[in-house]
């Protein structure tokens, strides 16, 4: 990323758990560190955890990279507690991505025959994964976007539009474990489901696509202030095109991902990049509150 940044965004992601009974011990895994990409440079990042984890000397020493280059960290508590707060705060400099060019690149049929030759990082994103598993209904649905002879980029843009028009965005209509086929059957979901359906459709025709977790800068209504904590985490996809590389597409909003999209991590589906997971002894039932604020820096 050598050019001057087109935009700098700051993100605050706060996760709060309140437990109905005391937690005697806990172990957590977090994917909350933003990553550097050709279009994004991390300027600063800090993580605060309350209560402080066992043996905690800062987040930096706990960070490890997974097979896809995402930063993960593990922390635990052996002390009794009934609340947990995890706050990730960072800023990134963004550059504009090249717009997908539907006239450039091979036909999807040609790309499907050898879409990943020489690209080990791409290969496994063409394989099925649990939440983006193609079935007969998904293959039939995908057929509406895969016109014979269309380029990979054209298929991607058509599929993005098709999913946007076919699924209703309905908060709380699905769970993090909802599969693409379930979302398609009920005709509704959240951004995670839009992404999983896109990925399953692409893989059903032999193309590689990956799940991207991150954040979206939303605009408040005219005349209204930006509300702290009113944003949400977001998800979109990247489709592999041999001539254009990874094309970032947001089927939830029917737009290519660009300067409003902050990349956190990527994987085969949501299971690979869940922001926070834990195994507890005790705790009873847990109530969860997530607050996300995305703001442009002056």
């Amino acid at each position: 990323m050598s050019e001057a940044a087109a935009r700098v965004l700051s993100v605050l992601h706060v996760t709060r758990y309140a437990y109905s009974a005391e937690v005697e011990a806990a172990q957590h895994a977090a994917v909350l560190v933003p990553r550097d990409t050709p279009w994004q440079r991390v300027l600063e990042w800090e993580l605060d955890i309350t209560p402080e984890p066992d043996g905690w000397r800062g987040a930096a020493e706990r960070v490890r990279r997974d097979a896809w280059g995402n930063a993960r960290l593990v922390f635990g508590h052996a002390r009794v507690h009934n609340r947990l707060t995890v706050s990730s705060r960072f800023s990134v400099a963004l550059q504009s991505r090249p717009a997908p060019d539907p006239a450039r690149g091979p036909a999807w049929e040609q790309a499907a025959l050898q879409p990943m030759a020489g690209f080990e990082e791409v290969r496994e994103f063409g394989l099925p994964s649990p939440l983006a598993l193609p079935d007969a209904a998904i293959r039939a649905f995908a057929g509406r976007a895969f016109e014979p002879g269309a380029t990979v980029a054209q298929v991607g843009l058509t599929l993005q539009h098709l999913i946007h028009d076919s699924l209703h965005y309905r908060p709380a209509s699905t769970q993090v474990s909802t599969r693409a086929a379930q979302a398609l059957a009920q005709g509704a979901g959240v951004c995670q489901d839009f992404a999983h359906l896109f990925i399953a459709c692409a893989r059903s025709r032999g193309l590689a696509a990956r799940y991207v977790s991150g954040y979206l800068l939303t605009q408040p209504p005219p005349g209204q202030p930006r509300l702290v904590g009113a944003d949400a985490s977001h998800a979109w996809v990247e489709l592999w095109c041999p001539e254009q590389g990874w094309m970032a597409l947001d089927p939830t909003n029917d737009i290519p991902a660009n300067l409003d999209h902050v990349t956190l991590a990527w994987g085969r589906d949501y299971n690979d990049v869940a922001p926070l997971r834990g195994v507890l002894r005790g705790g009873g039932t847990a109530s969860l509150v997530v607050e996300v604020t995305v703001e442009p820096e002056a």
Side-chain angles (χ1 to χ4, degrees):
M1 183 172 175
S2 57
E3 299 178 10
R7 164 176 273 175
V8 176
L9 296 179
S10 64
V11 177
L12 173 62
H13 181 165
V14 181
T15 304
R16 294 187 175 92
Y17 283 98
Y19 305 104
S20 64
E22 290 183 334
V23 176
E24 299 174 7
Q27 192 76 7
H28 295 275
V31 182
L32 289 169
V33 187
R35 60 183 300 158
D36 290 309
T37 77
W39 323 111
Q40 173 176 293
R41 178 166 52 90
V42 180
L43 302 177
E44 58 181 351
W45 172 77
E46 61 181 29
L47 187 74
D48 294 317
I49 303 173
T50 305
E52 187 175 278
D54 299 340
W56 188 251
R57 290 188 293 272
E61 70 169 24
R62 300 290 184 99
V63 171
R64 301 291 184 271
R65 299 285 170 178
D66 66 15
W68 304 293
N70 302 312
R72 299 174 178 270
L73 59 92
V74 175
F75 62 91
H77 295 93
R79 74 183 74 176
V80 173
H81 60 283
N82 56 19
R83 292 181 180 275
L84 174 67
T85 301
V86 180
S87 300
S88 173
R89 184 189 301 271
F90 64 89
S91 62
V92 293
L94 300 172
Q95 280 182 199
S96 293
R97 300 170 182 250
D101 184 354
R104 181 177 166 220
W108 70 265
E109 298 97 332
Q110 178 184 349
L113 291 175
Q114 45 184 356
M116 295 157 271
F119 293 94
E120 290 301 323
E121 65 161 324
V122 177
R123 188 181 306 278
E124 63 186 308
F125 294 114
L127 302 174
S129 59
L131 298 180
L133 186 66
D135 66 0
I138 286 176
R139 292 186 184 94
F141 176 81
R144 297 160 59 185
F146 283 79
E147 293 285 342
T151 66
V152 174
Q154 181 61 62
V155 164
L157 292 168
T158 301
L159 185 57
Q160 170 187 269
H161 183 69
L162 174 64
I163 293 173
H164 176 267
D165 283 359
S166 300
L167 286 191
H168 295 287
Y169 184 85
R170 190 178 301 157
S173 61
T174 57
Q175 308 294 324
V176 294
S177 59
T178 298
R179 300 186 304 276
Q182 295 171 301
L184 177 61
Q186 73 179 32
V190 295
C191 56
Q192 171 185 308
D193 304 297
F194 283 68
H196 284 154
L197 181 55
F198 185 108
I199 293 167
C201 288
R203 292 175 182 169
S204 77
R205 293 299 194 275
L207 301 183
R210 64 191 183 191
Y211 181 98
V212 184
S213 69
Y215 307 94
L216 178 66
L217 174 67
T218 58
Q219 302 299 328
Q224 298 296 315
R226 183 175 298 280
L227 299 177
V228 174
D231 296 307
S233 56
H234 193 47
W236 58 96
V237 304
E238 290 185 348
L239 177 68
W240 177 253
C241 176
E243 295 292 330
Q244 301 183 55
W246 289 107
M247 297 186 303
L249 302 170
D250 182 351
T252 305
N253 295 291
D254 197 16
I255 57 173
N258 204 350
L259 292 174
D260 290 339
H261 294 74
V262 177
T263 300
L264 187 62
W266 55 60
R268 295 164 298 181
D269 58 31
Y270 172 85
N271 281 340
D272 288 332
V273 293
L276 189 62
R277 282 183 165 155
V279 177
L280 313 178
R281 185 168 71 231
T285 58
S287 63
L288 170 65
V289 175
V290 177
E291 299 174 351
V292 175
T293 303
V294 184
E295 294 182 298
E297 294 189 4

